[in-house]
Amino acid sequence: PDTHITVSIDSMPELYNAVRNDELDCAIVSHRPELIQGLSWSAIKDDELLAILPWDENSIFSSFPVERFDGAEFYMPSQGFELDIAPVFRSGSVPANPVIHHTNMDDASIVSMVEHGLRMSILSRLVMYDMKFNVRALPLNPRSFRSLGLICSERRAGERNIRRLLGCFLGSNLFWCCGAGLGGNAGGPSCHAGDAKTEPRGERDGIFGHVYV
């Protein structure tokens, strides 16, 4: 009650720089070794990356081999998510070279475009939670994750308000249940929910609304 919070959304490199320059007290980002120098990192959650495909995609796989991105028309989410996605294309037995289309669309718009058969994409499991689109969201093969956490300057890591904020994320299910993770806007909170909440039908089958994971 005695803490005022202002939320900013920006690209991942910009948020790292803003924390480093004391323009922000802290930020929730995915871990990037090339950006983390001089900052304190507290891990919160590993968030799996998923292949987002049209529902009628002819696939017999329970996961999506990353080699199949080769030559495919691909929507790259905006706001720095490329830093998490680009390594995926090099993780298979043969590097994949998709035809990448950079976008300024939000996550829900990208999924809507995929639903209508316009290309494919990669988004995270937190982003896809509670979206209501007729698409397939398959784990990648090999599987890929981004590590979400809180950054702040090393000299401020022990400050009471920052520790309280981190404790809220670590101790509350709301962060995971509402889908308010980084999203495709990989630098800040993003929640693109459907018209109503849909409870998952189980972790094993991973069905979320009309999205198949």
Side-chain angles (χ1 to χ4, degrees):
D2 58 344
T3 301
H4 177 72
I5 297 177
T6 301
V7 178
S8 299
I9 297 178
D10 210 331
S11 68
M12 191 156 47
E14 289 299 321
L15 285 179
Y16 271 94
N17 287 333
V19 172
R20 182 173 287 106
N21 297 331
D22 286 329
E23 297 168 15
L24 290 175
D25 297 316
C26 59
I28 301 172
V29 294
S30 61
H31 186 270
R32 302 306 310 172
E34 69 274 20
L35 298 174
I36 197 69
Q37 292 86 355
L39 297 175
S40 172
W41 165 266
S42 299
I44 295 176
K45 183 179 179 66
D46 286 337
D47 186 18
E48 185 168 18
L49 301 181
L50 306 172
I52 311 303
L53 314 169
W55 180 257
D56 59 0
E57 171 76 13
N58 184 19
S59 175
I60 61 173
F61 302 102
S62 58
S63 60
F64 189 80
V66 297
E67 294 86 355
R68 294 188 62 194
F69 284 117
D70 191 55
E73 302 284 336
F74 184 89
Y75 278 128
M76 181 65 71
S78 62
Q79 297 280 22
F81 206 9
E82 186 171 6
L83 294 176
D84 294 317
I85 292 177
V88 169
F89 302 135
R90 303 189 297 270
S91 65
S93 57
V94 177
N97 293 292
V99 180
I100 294 177
H101 300 267
H102 293 271
T103 75
N104 290 316
M105 296 185 292
D106 61 23
D107 306 323
S109 296
I110 288 177
V111 179
S112 178
M113 297 291 278
V114 173
E115 179 184 38
H116 289 87
L118 302 174
R119 308 180 179 123
M120 58 181 63
S121 189
I122 292 175
L123 292 170
S124 79
R125 189 175 291 275
L126 278 176
V127 171
M128 293 303 297
Y129 183 83
D130 209 27
M131 280 202 186
K132 300 173 75 70
F133 294 95
N134 290 317
V135 298
R136 295 186 185 275
L138 299 180
L140 299 168
N141 183 11
R143 295 177 74 180
S144 184
F145 297 80
R146 59 176 181 170
S147 178
L148 303 183
L150 184 141
I151 58 170
C152 64
S153 67
E154 292 181 341
R155 62 183 173 79
R156 302 190 63 181
E159 288 188 7
R160 176 171 174 265
N161 283 341
I162 289 178
R163 302 308 300 174
R164 287 173 62 188
L165 180 63
L166 178 62
C168 288
F169 289 132
L170 294 175
S172 173
N173 290 328
L174 291 177
F175 184 75
W176 317 129
C177 294
C178 73
L182 293 183
N185 299 325
S190 174
C191 188
H192 303 290
D195 295 332
K197 276 190 172 294
T198 303
E199 294 298 323
R201 281 166 34 189
E203 183 66 24
R204 177 176 297 178
D205 57 16
I207 304 293
F208 295 89
H210 297 293
V211 178
Y212 173 75
V213 180

